[in-house]
Amino acid sequence: MNYNENPFASTHSLDTNPFEDPAPSQADAARLDSIRQREADLERRQRELDEREQQLKHHGKNNWPFFFPLIYHDISVEIPEASRPLITRLYQLWLVLLGTLILNLIACIFILIAGSSDGGRDVGAAIGYVFIITITSFLLWYRPIYNGYMKEQALYYYLYFFFCGFHLLFSVYMIIGVPSTGSAGLIQTIQMFANHHWVAAILGLVATVGWTLQGLGNAYYYRQIFAHHTAAGHTMEKAKTELASHGAKAYFTRG
């Protein structure tokens, strides 16, 4: 036994800070890493939720037509910047078509009032055109090319070429204006001018100009879109593959 040893001496160094946190063990370090990882995951999930909320707020709500929204339609958001002017012009041509259909109906009503023997059939057909052509033109050629430039998929281009081709032929048919066909085109307009039915004649002339403007405009952009379609390398085989992969459901989806 060492009688010279101080029994009250501390076994710890006087240089050690008694209030300092002890060095973490490996278990403590692992626990801290797990907490940090969980915090990072929570932050990432919150960011994803915020992004999804913003997407739903700006891109997820149907907005067209404005009086009874059925689909989402926003050229400035969904169409690439380089293609926006073209799609905007096509949409404007579709609006011209809508206005022309309404003017054509009004002109046919005045042709009936003027005493045309085929006026009743003209009015009936013109009423049908307002509803049928408005809906089918939007769904069968405008919406496909809108989707085509948004998704750059071959299938939409072929749908556009097929149905817009029929629309161009229909426009020529309406410009001619054969009596009893529901068109207040050239033939009907000339007859109204010849018989001095001025209101019917002027309305028929305006409708004819409308048919001509939207027909020529669509023909011009038809050629431009065909050139883009060819340069992009779209083929029927690609269209068949897209149809097999995505199905008809892709027509109603975005992105």
Side-chain angles (χ1 to χ4, degrees):
M1 181 178 294
N2 186 359
Y3 294 101
N4 295 322
E5 184 178 352
N6 184 353
F8 301 103
S10 172
T11 58
H12 298 286
S13 172
L14 293 177
D15 296 331
T16 303
N17 184 353
F19 301 102
E20 187 179 4
D21 292 335
S25 64
Q26 288 185 349
D28 292 335
R31 194 158 42 247
L32 286 172
D33 288 341
S34 177
I35 292 171
R36 292 193 190 101
Q37 185 63 40
R38 279 200 296 270
E39 289 176 349
D41 288 341
L42 287 172
E43 290 177 0
R44 178 179 54 80
R45 290 177 186 175
Q46 186 61 46
R47 283 196 303 271
E48 290 175 354
L49 288 172
D50 291 342
E51 290 174 2
R52 191 174 303 171
E53 183 180 357
Q54 288 297 113
Q55 186 176 9
L56 287 172
K57 183 182 295 184
H58 295 292
H59 311 304
K61 293 182 180 179
N62 294 335
N63 63 353
W64 195 95
F66 68 91
F67 54 86
F68 190 74
L70 294 172
I71 62 171
Y72 183 78
H73 178 272
D74 193 334
I75 295 172
S76 64
V77 171
E78 295 191 301
I79 305 300
E81 185 175 358
S83 304
R84 286 173 196 165
L86 185 147
I87 299 300
T88 299
R89 295 292 180 271
L90 288 176
Y91 182 60
Q92 290 169 345
L93 284 171
W94 182 84
L95 292 175
V96 171
L97 170 63
L98 177 58
T100 301
L101 287 165
I102 295 170
L103 276 172
N104 181 75
L105 171 59
I106 297 171
C108 285
I109 291 173
F110 277 89
I111 289 172
L112 173 63
I113 294 172
S116 171
S117 59
D118 297 312
R121 286 191 289 271
D122 283 323
V123 172
I127 292 172
Y129 293 153
V130 169
F131 294 100
I132 296 171
I133 301 302
T134 297
I135 295 170
T136 56
S137 61
F138 187 90
L139 294 178
L140 296 181
W141 63 259
Y142 173 72
R143 191 65 181 179
I145 199 58
Y146 181 98
N147 285 342
Y149 274 88
M150 176 173 64
K151 303 178 183 182
E152 204 55 58
Q153 293 180 359
L155 176 62
Y156 296 109
Y157 286 89
Y158 282 103
L159 286 172
Y160 165 77
F161 292 136
F162 183 79
F163 289 109
C164 190
F166 273 107
H167 176 71
L168 292 175
L169 293 175
F170 177 75
S171 297
V172 173
Y173 172 77
M174 295 299 285
I175 289 169
I176 295 171
V178 177
S180 79
T181 61
S183 168
L186 283 173
I187 295 175
Q188 298 262 53
T189 299
I190 292 170
Q191 289 178 349
M192 292 299 106
F193 273 116
N195 294 320
H196 307 294
H197 300 296
W198 304 115
V199 176
I202 292 171
L203 287 171
L205 179 62
V206 175
T208 302
V209 170
W211 286 115
T212 304
L213 283 176
Q214 65 83 35
L216 290 175
N218 275 304
Y220 173 79
Y221 288 113
Y222 191 96
R223 291 185 61 189
Q224 188 172 329
I225 292 166
F226 187 82
H228 169 81
H229 152 82
T230 304
H234 295 309
T235 63
M236 184 60 73
E237 290 303 316
K238 284 185 178 180
K240 291 178 181 178
T241 302
E242 291 162 4
L243 181 61
S245 301
H246 307 295
K249 183 181 179 182
Y251 181 88
F252 301 99
T253 60
R254 300 190 297 274

